[in-house]
Amino acid sequence: MIIDCHNHPDWYGYNIERYLDNMKRYNIDKTWLLSWECPDDEYSPTYKKQVPDASLPDGPISFHRCVRYAEQYPDKFILGYAPDPRRPDAIDKLDHAIRLYGVRVYGEIKLRMMYDNPDAIRLFRFCGEKGLPVTVHIDYEFATGSAYPRPNWWYGGGIDAFERAVKACPDTYFLGHAPGFWAHLSGDDQYDKVAYPTGKVQPGGKVSEMLRKYRNLYCDISAGSGARAFSRDPEFAREFILEFQDRILYGRDYFDNVHQEVLGSLNLPDDVLAKIYSGNALKLVPLS
């Protein structure tokens, strides 16, 4: 079985028919289908050509699109929903969605807020009570040469704010994701200078340190950030995967096959691949 732990409905031109064809093409059995709710002025306007709900209050990728997919093909999609913790009704909205629609994942949270603020911690703890893993997107602030509409599109406040959240919510499972997480695979200083660091992985990476310290932390390898993190140093990637084989989840965040290609190039044992492709996802979100 292959489970894609990170994708979204109706974006990059993939409607439900193209989506299902794409899953079939790459032998993906199920997908965690995640919303992305974010204020319009907190994400780059370049997204607006590829997201379905740009500028709408529940956009840029609304939860109701996830529901529509899951209602039509309940055997293919597992529902994710992440209302903005800064809204006073966030926990009530999530609770209602769990009871009415069967939401199983809190994701994707991708907001210009510190992920350890009190409102977020309260919501993350609620997710722990309900058994929902939390998928977190992190990007750093760094100079891009632009002043408007934002100098940079940062999310989450960096790895330190994320670590404080993980520590404060020991009963909640978190999935680290995106450039600001995977850059810390290495102990170098590239994480706040470029989105996709290159070169051999250096000792002292924060990701490994946190995985050893916090049993409630998992990794989502989706998007270019996860694929590039492993590709920059395949020898290190193989050892990393072997050490943390019980807490790494396959995901795409797009519709290509690069992650299967990267995993296939690392000469990993079949039992390890089975955990990454579905076993670890099933630990967090068992099939009913």
Side-chain angles (χ1 to χ4, degrees):
M1 175 179 284
I2 299 179
I3 297 174
D4 179 353
C5 80
H6 188 134
N7 229 318
H8 306 280
D10 294 333
W11 72 326
Y12 286 102
Y14 279 80
N15 61 20
I16 195 165
E17 290 80 15
R18 296 190 188 100
Y19 211 117
L20 292 169
D21 287 345
N22 181 266
M23 288 176 64
K24 183 177 180 180
R25 177 181 179 185
Y26 296 125
N27 301 307
I28 294 169
D29 298 281
K30 297 182 184 293
T31 295
W32 291 9
L33 204 62
L34 310 180
S35 70
W36 177 23
E37 288 192 6
C38 183
D40 188 54
D41 62 353
E42 289 193 15
Y43 61 89
S44 171
T46 60
Y47 272 114
K48 296 188 176 184
K49 62 186 177 183
Q50 57 211 26
V51 294
D53 301 307
S55 304
L56 297 181
D58 58 352
I61 303 174
S62 62
F63 174 58
H64 82 267
R65 292 182 182 272
C66 301
V67 171
R68 182 168 58 86
Y69 274 43
E71 287 183 338
Q72 291 182 75
Y73 298 96
D75 60 325
K76 291 293 183 182
F77 299 108
I78 293 163
L79 276 174
Y81 176 37
D84 187 337
R86 297 169 297 188
R87 294 182 56 86
D89 59 354
I91 290 178
D92 288 341
K93 288 173 68 176
L94 180 58
D95 187 40
H96 179 260
I98 293 168
R99 290 183 286 109
L100 185 60
Y101 299 112
V103 165
R104 306 291 304 280
V105 180
Y106 180 80
E108 171 185 12
I109 180 170
K110 183 177 179 181
L111 297 167
R112 292 172 69 88
M113 58 169 274
M114 305 296 282
Y115 288 159
D116 66 331
N117 82 36
D119 295 320
I121 296 299
R122 187 181 308 111
L123 191 148
F124 295 155
R125 288 175 175 165
F126 175 79
C127 291
E129 293 170 6
K130 297 297 182 179
L132 272 61
V134 174
T135 298
V136 170
H137 182 114
I138 302 172
D139 265 307
Y140 274 90
E141 166 76 18
F142 52 80
T144 62
S146 174
Y148 295 99
R150 298 275 190 182
N152 174 268
W153 301 95
W154 68 267
Y155 304 99
I159 200 74
D160 293 331
F162 180 48
E163 181 176 12
R164 291 192 293 270
V166 172
K167 182 178 180 180
C169 306
D171 296 324
T172 303
Y173 291 110
F174 291 87
L175 283 81
H177 156 71
F181 177 78
W182 282 112
H184 285 285
L185 194 65
S186 179
D188 58 35
D189 63 352
Q190 297 186 64
Y191 64 89
D192 61 353
K193 299 175 180 63
V194 295
Y196 303 110
T198 58
K200 288 285 188 180
V201 169
Q202 301 300 310
K206 189 74 174 177
V207 169
S208 296
E209 175 188 313
M210 288 177 63
L211 285 167
R212 294 182 186 120
K213 189 173 183 179
Y214 304 104
R215 303 304 300 178
N216 58 324
L217 177 62
Y218 283 65
C219 301
D220 161 358
I221 70 170
S222 68
S225 53
R228 295 187 194 202
F230 287 168
S231 298
R232 66 182 284 192
D233 190 341
E235 183 179 0
F236 177 89
R238 187 176 191 277
E239 294 305 313
F240 174 86
I241 292 171
L242 291 175
E243 180 177 355
F244 301 111
Q245 59 186 272
D246 296 315
R247 286 189 283 156
I248 299 171
L249 278 68
Y250 167 79
R252 295 192 298 163
D253 203 11
Y254 192 57
F255 300 97
D256 58 17
N257 199 40
V258 65
H259 300 87
Q260 291 190 35
E261 293 168 0
V262 170
L263 291 170
S265 72
L266 297 176
N267 191 30
L268 294 163
D270 288 344
D271 63 325
V272 173
L273 286 172
K275 292 178 183 180
I276 295 169
Y277 277 128
S278 63
N280 295 332
L282 292 170
K283 279 197 309 182
L284 297 180
V285 182
L287 299 181
S288 55

